[in-house]
Every structure is written in structure tokens, then in C-alpha cells.
């Protein structure tokens, strides 16, 4: 069994009408290809509502079924499930299922997907272990569906944050670790590693070594530019470094937590290039954009001065990067200005000390 699919519900038909091959468009453009090329249905670009650029077919994954999800085999007993916006991963074993993340938008479809797979492969359907990638509700907010007896596992800081949040839908992990944890269930193994803060203070790397698969959430976005302000990450310099950490690990397939397809090493390299181009453009902007006109325009309104300067700097930084990646990374025109702001304000100015015209006063 490699997938379960059917007719999409009416609410998704427009979005899914142009669902394309996961990497075919990139390869056809002469940019990048990878082992997942051709794993989904080929189609042309899709135009979302509004004045945004078409989405390349290479950015889109397989269509969801009538219940609103797609479940597919990664390798062996490792599977992934998506609703086209979020992704989770699960490992079927002779002693039960190990689930990684429980996005609420997938919700009860997690149970349906696991049931379909285990019915086909003859393994137990009971979820015995639930690994949290990090504490955010959009990725683990359906944890409550798996009851009080499932063993929840996460970083020690994840437990601290969830105790603070006191969300009944996100019970804190029962088993925690600080640096490394090896989870073996029914002869199958996941390696959990913490490489420091990045998107959040508790975001971990989950690797299935036998299946050559890495799951790291909110760090790499296969086929798309990163979400707004570099995934609204809490530590931008270390979020950037986390991309390189991912590339230092052995894997062929990436489960990224967002969007509707799996990723490849080529996808990660393309995002790294995008972020590097943003950094270079931001540095050039800091060296060239003079703030005096903004002071003259807004007088003693300090916040207006900074807003106008940062808005102008973000737009100037984003312009050449948007032009370069439009058509190669989905939504380059949607979030590149926001991503430029995060680089300017945090990676360069606040954390990096690249102050440009706001350096030490003479």
C-alpha cells in the first residue's frame, strides 16, 4: 500500500484542481530534482485568489481524498499524512504506532489514515507513542485525541512551555530529554535530537535512520518560501543555522510539518540559497539606504520613522530576491518582504550588530 486517495470535497476542489508533481516542475526548469520527483500527479500552475503569482506545480503535492487527507508510504513501515497544509509522520511497528505530531487541522483524519495503513499491512493500529516536534498548538493541538495512556515524548523545554500554556488539548510530554533520545518500539527506531533553539526553544530533529528520513518542523518548506518572517521564528540566527544542521544529517526524505508534499535535499539547498540571497540583499540595503528623509518626514514621531525606514528597507531587500525566485519557489511574492524584515531586524541589526546608519553616534 502506498496511498489512499479519492475525490476531494467541494471546499478543496478549486485548490486541488491543479495539484502537480512534487518536484517535476523544478526539474523541468533545469533547477533541481530529487528522489521524490514524479511521486505526485503532474499538473499546471494554480492561481490562488487575489493578485498573487501562480503556484508552480512543483510546489504542490498529491490530492487529498474525500475525507480531506492523503496518506502515503515513505519507506518500509514509515508513512506520512497531510491535509495539504500540515504534515505528520507515523511509524507502524509490531507493538503499535509511533506518531510524530498531531496537527489539529488533520485531526481525526490522523486516526483514519493510521487505520487504513495498519489494516492493509496487518500491524496494530493503537498509537502507543506520540512524539512532539515542539510545543506549538498548530502542530500538536490534536494530541488529546490519543487519550491519557499514549506515551508523549518531547524536549524538556517543551514540557516547561506546555505546563505554562495549560492547554487541555496539548498534555505535556511524559518522557523528556535535553540533547539526545533513542526511541525504539517494536523493532523500529527514531532518533530525537536537540541542536539548540531555532524556530522555538524546544524544536527538535526527528530521524528515522532505517528509512533515511528526517522530520524537522518550521525550518525548511519544500517548494515554498518560508512562512511569514522566516516562520515567525523566535531565534532567527539559529533558525538559519538549523538549515545547515539539517543538511549535516544523513537523510533522503524530509517531512517538514507544513504544506502538502515531502521534501528532498535539493529543496533544502534551494531554500538555503534563497535565505543567503536575502542576507546579501539585506546587507546591501543597510549600507545604502539613508534614513535622513524619514526623520525629515516624520519629525519627532520615533515609531513612524522606524516603521517607514524598515518598510522601505524590507521592500528594497526583497525586490531582487522576489524577482529571482518567482516561479521557482511558491509564494515568493507573498512573504519575501516579510522575510526580508526578519533578516534585517533580527539576523542583521538586533542580533548581528550590523547597524548601518544606526551605528555608534559620532
Amino acid at each position: 500500500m502506498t496511498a489512499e486517495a479519492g475525490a476531494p470535497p467541494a471546499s478543496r476542489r478549486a485548490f486541488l484542481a491543479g495539484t502537480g508533481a512534487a518536484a517535476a516542475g523544478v526539474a523541468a526548469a533545469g533547477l533541481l530534482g530529487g528522489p521524490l520527483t514524479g511521486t505526485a500527479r503532474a499538473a499546471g500552475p494554480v492561481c490562488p485568489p487575489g493578485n498573487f503569482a501562480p503556484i508552480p506545480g512543483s510546489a504542490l503535492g498529491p490530492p487529498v481524498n474525500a475525507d480531506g487527507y492523503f496518506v502515503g508510504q515513505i519507506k518500509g513501515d514509515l508513512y506520512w499524512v497531510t491535509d495539504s497544509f500540515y504534515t505528520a509522520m507515523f511509524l507502524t511497528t509490531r507493538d503499535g504506532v509511533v506518531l510524530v505530531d498531531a496537527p489539529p487541522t488533520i485531526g481525526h483524519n490522523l486516526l483514519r489514515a493510521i487505520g487504513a495503513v495498519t489494516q492493509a499491512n496487518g500491524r496494530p493500529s493503537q498509537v502507543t507513542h506520540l512524539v512532539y516536534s515542539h510545543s506549538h498548538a498548530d502542530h500538536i493541538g490534536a494530541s488529546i485525541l490519543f487519550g491519557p495512556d499514549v506515551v508523549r515524548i518531547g524536549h524538556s523545554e517543551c514540557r516547561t512551555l506546555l505546563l505554562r500554556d495549560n492547554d487541555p488539548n496539548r498534555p505535556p510530554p511524559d518522557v523528556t530529554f535535553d540533547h539526545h533520545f533513542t526511541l525504539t518500539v517494536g523493532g523500529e527506531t527514531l532518533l530525537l535530537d536537540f541542536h539548540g533553539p531555532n524556530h522555538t526553544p524546544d524544536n527538535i530533529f526527528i530521524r528515522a535512520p532505517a528509512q533515511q528520513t528526517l522530520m524537522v518542523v518550521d525550518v525548511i518548506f519544500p517548494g515554498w518560501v518560508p512562512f511569514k518572517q522566516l516562520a515567525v521564528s523566535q531565534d532567527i540566527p539559529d533558525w538559519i543555522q538549523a538549515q545547515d544542521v539539517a543538511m549535516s544529517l544523513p537523510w533522503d526524505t524530509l517531512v517538514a510539518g507544513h504544506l502538502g508534499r515531502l521534501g528532498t535535499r535539493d529543496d533544502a539547498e534551494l531554500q538555503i540559497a534563497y535565505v543567503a540571497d536575502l542576507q546579501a540583499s539585506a546587507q546591501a540595503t543597510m549600507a545604502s539606504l539613508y534614513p535622513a528623509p524619514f526623520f525629515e518626514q516624520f519629525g519627532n514621531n520615533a515609531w513612524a520613522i522606524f516603521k517607514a525606514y524598515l518598510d522601505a528597507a524590507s521592500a528594497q531587500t526583497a525586490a531582487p530576491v522576489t524577482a529571482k525566485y518567482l516561479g521557482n519557489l511558491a509564494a515568493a511574492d507573498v512573504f519575501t518582504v516579510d522575510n526580508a524584515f526578519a533578516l534585517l531586524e533580527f539576523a542583521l541589526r538586533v542580533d548581528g550588530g550590523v547597524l548601518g546608519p544606526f551605528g555608534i553616534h559620532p
Side-chain angles (χ1 to χ4, degrees), residues 187-276:
E188 302 284 352
T189 296
L190 293 179
L191 303 178
L192 316 181
D193 293 290
F194 180 67
H195 293 283
N198 48 77
H199 171 66
T200 61
D202 63 326
N203 201 30
I204 63 172
F205 293 69
I206 303 109
R207 191 157 56 90
Q211 293 83 11
Q212 295 88 47
T213 296
L214 171 69
M215 183 168 177
V216 60
V217 174
D218 288 323
V219 172
I220 297 167
F221 297 79
W224 296 69
V225 300
F227 184 71
K228 184 181 179 75
Q229 294 185 7
L230 299 180
V232 289
S233 297
Q234 296 176 36
D235 188 326
I236 297 298
D238 281 335
W239 179 89
I240 294 171
Q241 179 63 28
Q243 300 172 114
D244 295 325
V245 171
M247 294 305 292
S248 74
L249 300 172
W251 56 273
D252 296 326
T253 303
L254 176 71
V255 181
H258 274 288
L259 305 166
R261 73 167 175 86
L262 299 173
T264 68
R265 297 185 76 88
D266 286 341
D267 288 319
E269 292 286 10
L270 184 57
Q271 180 178 299
I272 288 169
Y274 167 87
V275 174

Side-chain angles (χ1 to χ4, degrees), residues 317-339:
T317 296
V321 181
T322 300
K324 179 175 179 178
Y325 288 92
L326 200 62
N328 299 325
L329 281 176
D333 58 326
V334 178
F335 280 141
T336 298
V337 171
D338 295 302
N339 291 335

